Amino acid sequence: MWTYITVRVLQSIVVVILVAIASFAIFRILPGDPVAALSGEGEAISPERRAQVEEQLGLNKSVPEQFGKWIGDIVSSGDFGSSVLTNRSIGSELIQRLQNTLHVGFATIIVGMLIGIPAGVLSAIKPNSLADRLVTMLSVGGVAIPDYLTGLILILLFVVTWDVLPAAGFARIWDDPAASVRSLIMPTLVVGWVLSAIVARQTRSSMLEVMRQDYVRTARAKGLRERRVIALHALRNGLLPVVTIVGLLLARVFAGAVIVEQIFNIPGMGRWLVQAALQRDLLIVQAMILVIAIAIVIANLLTDISYGILDPRIRYG
Amino acid sequence: MAEQAAAETTAGGYPVPDEASRLEPLRIFMRRFLRVRLVRPALFILVVFGIIAIFVDVFPLPGFEEQATDEDGLYVSWQSPNADHPFGTDKIGRDTFSRVLHATRAALAVGFGASLFGAIFGLPIGIAAGYARGVVDEALMRLMDAVLAFPGLILALALVSVLGRDIINIIVAVGIANIPWVARIARAMALSVREQDYVLAGQTIGASNLRIMMRYVLPNSFQPVIVQVSLGAGFAIIAEAGLSFLGLGIRPPEPTWGGMVSEGRQVIITGSGWWLWVFPGACIALLVWSLNIIGDGLRDVLDPRLRGALEGD
């Protein structure tokens, strides 16, 4: 087991280093004049401004030195540099934004679990039933219907037609619980229903496996009602593997954040990334994709390790 | 032709390998493929979109930039669907129906362009990793893991913000996210093919590694990669529309489905203009759905092991 964990951790460290190099490299392959592009001003940049931007970005140094300084500052003091356009420090705003994104993200995962687990259990108990077919349909739709479309459909229903929810905005649950829940319903449903399909599939297959086990047969044989067999015997073991996919779900949440935060005006990382990309404030883009990618690498690592703990077959020899 | 075919049939009634019998596996394949659930409607949808993309210019439609005017010369804007404009008009009087049809081109071009881009780079990377194994394998696959760590849309968004927004850049930006998926599949195929006797035979007669990869490993990796091209095209279409929706896609006035959905979003709160986003949105969903069904169908037919597993599920 420890061999497996060590190998996976080492692999992840290599991937994180590659991710950092990639995030850095993307912005050094700029076509044309990098200073002009990074300043956000284009070719009309004045010589003074050019010198200032070069100094700020360290572009007057060699490329390895630039990379070293960028990573060094981040690792040593969480300093991601500052926005070329507004001169504000990226690091301090990043923490705010990351909190908001994770706030919505965890709520989304809870929604996915709340819908997905019962749906998965139902479809495992009664294969080919209505619930089972619904789960299949959800997974097909979850892949084909993009997040922006789901978002607009929800707005059309909850805001325009029924007028029961605010169209946009965001409040944290500990600041204003009621407003927070209302503001989170639509954003969490957009990605939450996709997650629920993933959760339901995972729940279904692990429940089907558990229902074949001897102890379930024993429970039935001693005359327990089916409901008790499922609730007391099958569910506990059947739900354990579902925990392992939280990492996968988190990755999907980050991918969806770009769209969801844009539609519902949530001041998170996704919205910041889009604004920065539109204004070509590339240091922010660079910092955002680095943080998101590292979060996903960590999420995948935790997924694999939890799989390894639960299922010895996964581990290396 | 018919006589020739008849003449080449052996006494036992078995045809000697000729044109027709060489095509036999393809016919069996098509018959099985078409029997997979929902594959027929999915193929139909894909073909219809393909025809629209090719022939949209010869359709009797108003141009996608043409602004409809009434008899007083005023722009007919915000029209809900009617006989003149089946999908309505937008804020400056452009015909939504025409724009939706014209946008099919961008969607299919980026969809298949990005997907093929991923295959062209993913195949050699995966084959080299799986065939060489060891350090090369480890290095290439960690590199692929690094690419996979960026969600597709986010990677595309970052690349487009650097490269600029013309269609080739968008194809490349979306396509890079497809590379690791193809590479992983090709690697798995290469790992199994390299253990086959015919590879050993090739090595025995002194074929170079490059030759073995090109002649034996590559052809055997094609089938699963085709599946991935179909699924990858669906992802790419969603990503392209996502970029356009965020304002980072193909530049206006060239119509894109994502851009049209975004225009609809701006007015959705007024309760009007649903036709601006519902029709292009439905096109995205239909096209991606059909590509997914086709991809899954291909996988079911091409991989007999999976076929059994699916039926038993």
Side-chain angles (χ1 to χ4, degrees):
Chain A
M1 186 63 211
W2 286 108
T3 323
Y4 171 72
I5 293 180
T6 314
V7 171
R8 282 298 291 115
V9 168
L10 287 177
Q11 280 181 339
S12 299
I13 292 172
V14 173
V15 172
V16 165
I17 293 170
L18 289 172
V19 159
I21 295 175
S23 310
F24 179 80
I26 288 176
F27 300 96
R28 294 300 180 277
I29 53 164
L30 279 171
D33 181 353
V35 183
L38 283 165
S39 72
E41 292 180 15
E43 305 302 326
I45 183 170
S46 67
E48 302 85 59
R49 175 84 173 122
R50 170 182 292 275
Q52 185 201 344
V53 171
E54 273 184 358
E55 177 62 34
Q56 189 180 346
L57 299 176
L59 286 175
N60 40 13
K61 301 198 185 72
S62 73
V63 172
E65 271 179 304
Q66 291 175 32
F67 179 69
K69 184 174 183 324
W70 183 61
I71 285 297
D73 285 352
I74 293 173
V75 175
S76 64
S77 55
D79 177 12
F80 286 83
S82 46
S83 156
V84 186
L85 297 183
T86 64
N87 247 325
R88 297 227 308 265
S89 156
I90 296 174
S92 52
E93 189 166 357
L94 183 102
I95 293 170
Q96 287 284 320
R97 299 266 182 175
L98 183 61
Q99 282 176 353
N100 290 345
T101 298
L102 287 176
H103 189 292
V104 178
F106 281 118
T108 306
I109 290 177
I110 293 172
V111 168
M113 294 274 182
L114 284 179
I115 306 176
I117 290 176
V121 171
L122 275 178
S123 72
I125 296 170
K126 291 204 177 95
N128 293 320
S129 66
L130 187 65
D132 195 9
R133 274 159 208 229
L134 214 62
V135 168
T136 312
M137 268 170 57
L138 277 180
S139 9
V140 174
V143 187
I145 302 179
D147 296 344
Y148 30 89
L149 210 55
T150 322
L152 293 196
I153 292 168
L154 291 175
I155 291 179
L156 189 67
L157 292 177
F158 286 105
V159 182
V160 178
T161 310
W162 300 326
D163 193 19
V164 287
L165 290 177
F170 172 69
R172 295 188 186 182
I173 192 93
W174 47 85
D175 292 340
D176 184 349
S180 177
V181 169
R182 278 164 58 83
S183 74
L184 281 173
I185 291 177
M186 288 191 293
T188 53
L189 273 178
V190 169
V191 178
W193 81 282
V194 182
L195 301 191
S196 76
I198 303 173
V199 172
R201 272 207 311 257
Q202 174 78 23
T203 310
R204 179 179 185 274
S205 68
S206 81
M207 279 299 284
L208 281 176
E209 178 146 354
V210 167
M211 298 292 279
R212 279 200 295 264
Q213 300 295 317
D214 286 341
Y215 63 84
V216 170
R217 197 186 320 155
T218 310
R220 283 185 180 140
K222 71 180 182 187
L224 286 186
R225 271 176 301 143
E226 188 67 15
R227 187 175 296 220
R228 272 183 83 82
V229 174
I230 291 163
L232 291 180
H233 297 257
L235 215 50
R236 272 193 201 172
N237 290 303
L239 290 189
L240 205 53
V242 178
V243 179
T244 60
I245 59 172
V246 170
L248 184 77
L249 302 184
L250 202 62
R252 179 65 180 81
V253 164
F254 272 111
V258 180
I259 301 280
V260 170
E261 293 177 2
Q262 189 72 6
I263 295 181
F264 297 105
N265 248 326
I266 297 165
M269 297 208 322
R271 187 167 163 76
W272 204 22
L273 172 60
V274 174
Q275 285 167 341
L278 284 169
Q279 297 168 338
R280 302 199 76 186
D281 199 339
L282 297 181
L283 266 188
I284 296 180
V285 177
Q286 190 174 335
M288 285 300 97
I289 64 170
L290 177 70
V291 172
I292 291 174
I294 289 178
I296 288 176
V297 172
I298 294 172
N300 286 337
L301 175 67
L302 294 178
T303 306
D304 286 355
I305 290 178
S306 55
Y307 264 128
I309 292 171
L310 287 174
D311 188 348
R313 283 171 300 180
I314 307 279
R315 296 174 210 163
Y316 300 123
Chain B
M1 199 48 206
E3 285 167 33
Q4 220 181 1
E8 278 172 329
T9 306
T10 60
Y14 298 107
V16 297
D18 58 4
E19 187 70 17
S21 60
R22 257 184 284 129
L23 286 175
E24 187 60 21
L26 188 68
R27 274 220 303 281
I28 295 173
F29 164 78
M30 278 313 285
R31 210 163 51 221
R32 282 199 187 136
F33 181 51
L34 289 175
R35 268 209 307 259
V36 178
R37 220 167 79 83
L38 295 175
V39 154
R40 283 165 195 256
L43 272 177
F44 176 77
I45 289 170
L46 185 63
V47 169
V48 168
F49 276 119
I51 291 172
I52 291 172
I54 296 168
F55 296 109
V56 66
D57 285 337
V58 300
F59 291 160
L61 287 170
F64 60 82
E65 283 186 84
E66 198 174 315
Q67 292 165 267
T69 48
D70 59 15
E71 50 270 31
D72 298 330
L74 297 171
Y75 293 132
V76 218
S77 50
W78 299 125
Q79 295 276 302
S80 55
N82 56 54
D84 287 341
H85 305 286
F87 289 180
T89 61
D90 67 5
K91 62 182 169 192
I92 53 175
R94 295 178 299 191
D95 182 65
T96 308
F97 184 64
S98 163
R99 291 176 63 74
V100 166
L101 294 195
H102 276 94
T104 309
R105 275 190 180 167
L108 286 178
V110 176
F112 283 97
S115 185
L116 288 173
F117 180 90
I120 288 168
F121 285 90
L123 257 175
I125 291 175
I127 289 175
Y131 186 73
R133 300 198 299 194
V135 183
V136 177
D137 182 21
E138 192 67 18
L140 286 174
M141 291 332 278
R142 291 298 79 74
L143 191 65
M144 293 296 98
D145 285 351
V147 178
L148 272 182
F150 301 98
L153 179 60
I154 289 177
L155 182 63
L157 197 148
L159 283 168
V160 167
S161 74
V162 173
L163 296 172
R165 289 163 54 185
D166 67 66
I167 190 160
I168 299 293
N169 289 342
I170 290 170
I171 289 175
V172 171
V174 175
I176 287 177
N178 273 324
I179 295 177
W181 299 105
V182 176
R184 283 186 167 187
I185 292 164
R187 172 180 176 269
M189 291 308 291
L191 277 174
S192 82
V193 170
R194 76 189 301 283
E195 306 299 333
Q196 302 292 322
D197 288 341
Y198 54 80
V199 170
L200 186 65
Q203 285 163 340
T204 319
I205 59 171
S208 68
N209 283 335
L210 186 66
R211 186 180 167 82
I212 290 173
M213 284 192 268
M214 294 294 286
R215 288 295 299 268
Y216 304 113
V217 187
L218 183 67
N220 281 299
S221 308
F222 263 133
Q223 288 192 348
V225 167
I226 290 171
V227 173
Q228 190 54 40
V229 166
S230 180
L231 298 174
F235 153 78
I237 286 166
I238 287 197
E240 183 274 320
L243 286 176
S244 300
F245 177 80
L246 296 170
L248 286 156
I250 296 164
R251 285 182 189 282
E254 180 80 26
T256 58
W257 290 337
M260 299 175 76
V261 172
S262 167
E263 282 167 29
R265 182 211 157 203
Q266 287 159 12
V267 295
I268 189 169
I269 289 303
T270 66
S272 174
W274 57 267
W275 55 90
L276 288 179
W277 60 273
V278 166
F279 294 113
C283 285
I284 299 171
L286 268 178
L287 185 52
V288 174
W289 175 82
S290 72
L291 285 166
N292 286 332
I293 293 288
I294 290 168
D296 286 344
L298 284 172
R299 180 161 49 202
D300 292 356
V301 177
L302 292 176
D303 192 339
R305 281 164 304 173
L306 268 179
R307 204 184 310 143
L310 287 177
E311 279 162 8
D313 192 20

